[in-house]
Amino acid sequence: ILDAVDAFAREHLSDRLVVAVHIRGNEHADERGYFIEGGVLGIEYYFREIDAALRRHPEAIVLCASDGAHHIAAVKKRYGERVVSYEAKRLTEEEEHIGVQNLQLENKAVLGDDVIIETLLLSRADILIHGPSNVVTAALIFAPKMPHVNVYVRYGKWLPKQRHYARRSWGSAKLALSKKFPALYSRAKKTLGR
């Protein structure tokens, strides 16, 4: 796995400023419903943040990671040759409701390799644009000082009932984490921005 990460980084990321983006589509949308109704924030919000990063760093490249092949294609269409992505198994728009982990594949271990490789590549970026995801959480654990923007936090709209539930749930989680695992709590608080 590390050989694949190093080879990709040498070929595509070396000596360049890297703006990484991790895009979630419909897969696990129910887990993001507390940010926005339906759980899916449009790709235009990711584009806003990529555009802003590229205005600040016009020489940068864009490293794009996503379970959805159509998300990678949309980023490549908008930003052209400056976009790179690791060659991984991705979902079509029609498969997205199934989830990549539920695809019928002969060798599912490849999916695990792909997600670890992409996580490590995201951690090597200079800036990370993302939504809520365990992939992103892991990347930020590997690179805790990396500047990052969670588009769901920045642009998501809380619904009153869900806001109350999410605050109550996060409050319980904070209390448990802070007592048992203070270092992990501190890192989670920084990563999640709360």
Side-chain angles (χ1 to χ4, degrees), residues 6-181:
D6 290 339
F8 185 92
R10 259 192 318 275
E11 183 177 347
H12 299 288
L13 310 181
S14 293
D15 302 321
R16 303 172 90 174
L17 191 125
V18 179
V19 174
V21 59
H22 180 261
I23 302 172
R24 298 297 299 271
N26 291 325
E27 187 179 21
H28 298 292
D30 58 323
E31 297 169 9
R32 297 184 306 274
Y34 58 88
F35 286 107
I36 188 166
E37 191 171 5
V40 179
L41 195 64
I43 197 167
E44 65 273 12
Y45 295 99
Y46 291 90
F47 289 161
R48 283 185 192 180
E49 294 302 321
I50 297 168
D51 290 346
L54 294 178
R55 276 193 302 277
R56 288 189 308 276
H57 307 286
E59 75 288 359
I61 63 164
V62 178
L63 169 64
C64 189
S66 177
D67 286 344
H70 54 290
H71 298 302
I72 303 275
V75 173
K76 285 184 175 181
K77 180 179 179 183
R78 183 172 178 112
Y79 300 103
E81 297 289 319
R82 69 189 327 165
V83 178
V84 296
S85 62
Y86 180 75
E87 190 64 39
K89 172 63 183 154
R90 305 204 192 278
L91 299 168
T92 65
E93 204 164 353
E94 296 76 31
E95 293 171 325
E96 206 169 36
H97 72 281
I98 298 169
V100 72
Q101 72 277 7
N102 297 318
L103 289 178
Q104 297 300 315
L105 302 172
E106 285 184 34
N107 184 1
K108 285 198 172 191
V110 170
L111 297 176
D113 290 353
D114 286 349
V115 76
I116 292 169
I117 290 167
E118 286 194 318
T119 299
L120 292 171
L121 289 170
L122 291 172
S123 76
R124 293 187 180 194
D126 298 289
I127 300 166
L128 179 57
I129 299 162
H130 62 88
S133 165
N134 289 329
V135 169
V136 168
T137 300
L140 291 171
I141 287 170
F142 288 118
K145 295 183 180 183
M146 183 189 331
H148 65 99
V149 176
N150 184 330
V151 294
Y152 280 77
V153 170
R154 180 160 287 171
Y155 300 107
K157 294 163 183 62
W158 289 78
L159 302 174
K161 182 178 177 184
Q162 293 164 328
R163 180 185 302 128
H164 171 72
Y165 175 75
R167 281 187 183 152
R168 200 176 73 212
S169 297
W170 177 237
S172 300
K174 281 196 298 191
L175 183 62
L177 272 176
S178 65
K179 287 182 177 179
K180 277 189 141 180
F181 307 102

